[in-house]
């Protein structure tokens, strides 16, 4: 397939976004949270784990841990047990408590609203920071690239890049800033519901006419 110009790509992506908005009019972050601290903790917990599983754990965690100090002061062994249903729970427990200590020491217990400050926190990389900034603070700092966004960006021919950072840069070039947060939600929703890793349902796909299906095996 010939390379599309940046302009043509941006125009096609605009149509893809419109199609996905029609398909998923209420696409949103599927982690449950009611404030930036809860979203930060939920996002750290969600690495390599389903949102559903995280929501089950945070339903009993959040009523107990209301401030950063609550996490910082928790007994490590008790806190570990409370998130035990989550993959990599030991590591995540350590990160959340270290992160909470920094929130207390450096930010008066508040979750900062800048990329530079967020990525200084334990367990927080660009992806987690983008989730918090875009959803809790409504700040378009970048584009969340998780496994769904990465896979769909390839299949839809939006980029040939393969690392999350490079995919993010490529998508940012062809997406209006006002759509950065929503683009991730839409691709994640479509990835979960239609364009799964193992079995993309191309014959029923709502944006099939806009998709070159890069790397998707043809079916009879
Ligand atoms: S046409 Fe197939 S590969 Fe393309 S987005 Fe739809 S399900 Fe995914």
């Amino acid at each position: 397939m010939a390379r599309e110009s940046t302009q043509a790509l941006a125009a096609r992506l605009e149509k893809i976004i419109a199609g996905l908005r029609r398909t998923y009019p209420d696409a949103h972050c599927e982690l449950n949270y009611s404030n930036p601290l809860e979203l930060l903790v939920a996002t750290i917990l969600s690495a390599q784990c389903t949102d559903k599983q995280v929501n089950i754990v945070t339903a009993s965690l959040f009523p107990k841990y209301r401030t950063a100090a609550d996490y910082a002061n928790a007994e490590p062994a008790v806190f570990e047990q409370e998130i035990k249903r989550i993959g990599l729970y030991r590591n995540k427990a350590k990160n959340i408590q270290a992160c909470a200590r920094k929130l207390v020491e450096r930010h008066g217990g508040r979750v900062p609203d800048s990329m530079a400050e967020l990525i200084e926190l334990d367990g927080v990389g660009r992806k987690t920071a983008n989730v918090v900034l875009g959803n809790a603070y409504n700040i378009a700092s970048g584009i969340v690239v998780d496994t769904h966004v990465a896979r769909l960006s390839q299949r839809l021919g939006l980029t040939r890049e393969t690392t999350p950072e490079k995919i993010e840069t490529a998508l940012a070039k062809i997406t209006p800033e006002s759509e950065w947060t929503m683009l991730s939600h839409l691709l994640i929703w479509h990835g979960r519901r239609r364009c799964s890793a193992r079995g993309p349902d191309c014959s029923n796909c709502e944006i099939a006419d806009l998709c070159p299906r890069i790397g998707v095996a043809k079916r009879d």
Side-chain angles (χ1 to χ4, degrees):
M1 189 178 133
R3 262 186 202 262
E4 277 173 288
S5 67
T6 304
Q7 212 180 4
L9 259 183
R12 188 162 62 84
L13 179 56
E14 195 183 331
K15 288 184 192 159
I16 289 171
I17 291 173
L20 292 177
R21 270 187 187 276
R22 277 193 298 277
T23 309
Y24 311 111
D26 63 345
H28 58 269
C29 175
E30 292 186 274
L31 292 169
N32 293 336
Y33 66 97
S34 62
N35 58 50
L37 179 65
E38 289 185 357
L39 181 57
L40 177 62
V41 170
T43 310
I44 294 174
L45 289 174
S46 73
Q48 293 175 51
C49 183
T50 65
D51 288 358
K52 204 170 159 192
Q53 191 71 12
V54 172
N55 288 338
I56 292 170
V57 168
T58 56
S60 46
L61 202 65
F62 290 162
K64 181 173 174 190
Y65 296 91
R66 295 187 177 275
T67 67
D70 291 340
Y71 289 103
N73 297 331
E75 181 58 46
V78 173
F79 185 57
E80 257 188 18
Q81 285 306 306
E82 286 167 329
I83 64 165
K84 205 175 172 182
R85 292 179 65 138
I86 303 269
L88 310 173
Y89 70 95
R90 285 205 173 91
N91 208 23
K92 289 176 184 176
K94 246 184 231 136
N95 279 336
I96 289 170
Q97 289 204 278
C99 171
R101 280 193 290 275
K102 278 190 191 158
L103 290 179
V104 172
E105 287 159 13
R106 299 180 182 180
H107 303 286
R110 192 175 171 275
V111 176
D113 60 2
S114 77
M115 175 62 74
E117 290 172 307
L118 279 166
I119 59 174
E120 286 290 308
L121 301 169
D122 302 73
V124 180
R126 240 195 109 77
K127 178 170 151 264
T128 297
N130 274 333
V131 171
V132 171
L133 290 169
N135 295 283
Y137 290 124
N138 214 9
I139 295 172
S141 58
I143 298 173
V144 174
V145 178
D146 74 345
T147 177
H148 299 288
V149 175
R151 183 178 71 255
L152 268 76
S153 296
Q154 296 288 333
R155 288 179 176 173
L156 287 162
L158 300 175
T159 178
R160 295 181 187 190
E161 300 293 354
T162 51
T163 63
E165 293 76 18
K166 288 187 175 173
I167 293 171
E168 183 183 352
T169 306
L171 291 179
K173 276 188 197 148
I174 53 172
T175 314
E177 215 175 289
S178 57
E179 298 280 28
W180 284 0
T181 302
M182 187 47 73
L183 175 65
S184 293
H185 293 328
L186 292 170
L187 293 179
I188 291 168
W189 275 51
H190 198 56
R192 285 183 177 150
R193 291 159 179 80
R194 186 69 78 202
C195 189
S196 66
R198 285 195 205 150
D201 183 10
C202 300
S203 51
N204 289 307
C205 178
E206 296 81 355
I207 53 168
D209 57 340
L210 296 164
C211 180
R213 303 178 202 186
I214 307 289
V216 175
K218 284 217 166 69
R219 294 189 179 182
D220 297 332

